[in-house]
């Protein structure tokens, strides 16, 4: 089924239901419905749409009032009593545990996209007791989560976020003087501003273009000279900007990415990323360790940028991040309840 339509009759029990109670508004598969939302919502839509080619798939959203069907996926309001063969709950462990109370025989997975805070430390014991598996979005994310949990832990693995197979470098000539920040401002933009100000004092020709996805208001302080505010860009415009930029400029230590989709997408388009070494999933996601620096060292940043202005490095996305590879991993995971998404980390038998 293609296109979009409202959906009224109650469907048969679907094989798979994604449950998203955290998105600020309803979304479906189209770009317009996803505009202004974050990478999590985009990933849910992308994976659900791909899996719907082989099975009945729903996405249940707490902030949706009217059901709609798009690309073979039924997007409907969340009702905890509504059954499914397998539930994939986006980030909310409390919703996952609640679903276990309603559906004692269903398979339930928690698709974790964040680093939980201290007030959630009891989630491990609750998930373990409920027999709920956890899927993190990178190996480093899964390792951190397993180490962070006290006491009994659920089965933990990871499946990376997916990068569109079509994203490739082209013949666009990069502007050696243009740097790009393309994340929400809470992801270290204040620190990036400071790093850019130091860098521009040495290389005055540089500019920093800032693309803000617009899903979170945040005070990053006053922008230094040389910053160009782009606001929210459509996906195609953002990708064109990545191709034209010398690099994704992201030297900050304040925000750890669980995966960093914008980093992987930039690499897929041939745009290197300047990142802090050892922070979150940075080391795992970049295609070349030359993209990693000590972001607290202005000399290291300046040296790397100067070298890239002479010769921009050739980069590419890691093949295992490609959409087709990631969808296949999801298919394998969902095909057998006895198959973990990766070798389980610190797992204890559920029961």
């Amino acid at each position: 089924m293609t296109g979009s339509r409202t959906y009224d009759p109650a469907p048969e029990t679907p094989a798979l239901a994604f449950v998203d109670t955290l998105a600020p508004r309803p979304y479906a598969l189209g770009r317009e419905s996803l505009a202004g939302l974050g990478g999590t919502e985009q990933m849910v839509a992308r994976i659900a749409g791909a899996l719907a080619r082989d099975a009945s798939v729903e996405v249940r959203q707490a902030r949706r009032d009217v059901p709609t069907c798009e690309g073979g996926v039924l997007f409907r309001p969340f009702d905890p009593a509504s059954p499914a063969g397998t539930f994939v709950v986006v980030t909310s462990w409390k919703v996952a545990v609640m679903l276990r109370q309603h559906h004692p025989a269903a398979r339930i997975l928690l698709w974790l996209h964040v680093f939980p805070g201290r007030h959630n430390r009891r989630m491990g014991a609750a998930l373990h007791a409920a027999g709920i598996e956890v899927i993190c979005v990178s190996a480093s994310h899964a390792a951190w989560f397993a180490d962070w949990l006290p006491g009994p832990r659920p089965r933990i693995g990871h499946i990376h976020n997916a990068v569109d197979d079509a994203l490739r470098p082209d013949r666009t000539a990069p502007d050696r003087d243009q740097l790009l920040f393309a994340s929400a401002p809470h992801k270290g933009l204040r620190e990036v501003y400071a790093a850019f100000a130091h860098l521009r004092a040495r290389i005055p020709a540089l500019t920093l273009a800032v693309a803000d996805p617009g899903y979170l208001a945040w005070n990053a302080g006053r922008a230094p000279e040389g910053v160009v505010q782009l606001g929210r860009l459509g996906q195609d415009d953002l990708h064109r900007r990545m191709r034209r930029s010398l690099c994704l400029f992201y030297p900050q230590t304040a925000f750890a990415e669980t995966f960093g989709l914008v980093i992987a997408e930039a690499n897929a388009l041939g745009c290197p990323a300047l990142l802090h070494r050892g922070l979150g999933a940075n080391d795992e996601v970049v295609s070349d360790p030359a993209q990693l620096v000590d972001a607290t060292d202005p000399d290291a940043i300046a040296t790397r940028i100067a070298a890239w202005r002479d010769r921009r490095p050739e980069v590419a996305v890691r093949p295992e991040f490609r959409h087709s590879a990631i969808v296949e991993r999801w298919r394998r995971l969902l095909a057998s309840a006895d198959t973990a998404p990766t070798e389980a980390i610190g797992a204890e038998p559920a029961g």
Side-chain angles (χ1 to χ4, degrees), residues 25-92:
R25 58 177 172 79
Y27 58 87
L29 301 184
R31 288 188 179 183
E32 289 185 5
S33 76
L34 290 163
L37 295 177
T40 297
E41 293 84 7
Q42 295 179 38
M43 204 52 52
V44 172
R46 191 178 298 175
I47 298 301
L51 295 176
R53 298 167 191 165
D54 306 311
S56 56
V57 177
E58 296 182 358
V59 176
R60 300 174 181 176
Q61 300 166 338
R63 289 172 175 81
R64 175 174 288 279
D65 296 322
V66 179
T68 186
C69 191
E70 188 171 311
V73 180
L74 174 59
F75 293 84
R76 62 184 298 196
F78 172 55
D79 173 3
S82 184
T86 297
F87 293 93
V88 176
V89 180
V90 180
T91 295
S92 178

Side-chain angles (χ1 to χ4, degrees), residues 168-179:
R168 307 278 176 178
D170 61 15
R171 296 183 180 181
T172 300
D175 182 345
R176 67 197 296 264
D177 294 329
Q178 178 183 276
L179 313 179

Side-chain angles (χ1 to χ4, degrees), residues 163-164 167-170 239 242-243 246-248 260-275 282-292 308 312-319 321-322:
V163 176
D164 192 330
L167 296 187
R168 307 278 176 178
D170 61 15
H239 291 162
M242 285 178 174
R243 287 188 169 101
L246 176 67
C247 70
L248 195 69
L261 182 61
V262 68
I263 298 166
E265 287 184 338
N267 275 194
L269 293 166
C271 177
L274 190 72
L275 311 170
N282 286 354
D283 297 39
E284 181 179 351
V285 172
V286 294
S287 59
D288 184 339
Q291 296 174 77
L292 304 166
W308 287 1
R312 187 196 199 211
E314 294 184 5
V315 298
V317 69
R318 293 184 181 276
F321 298 164
R322 286 293 187 186

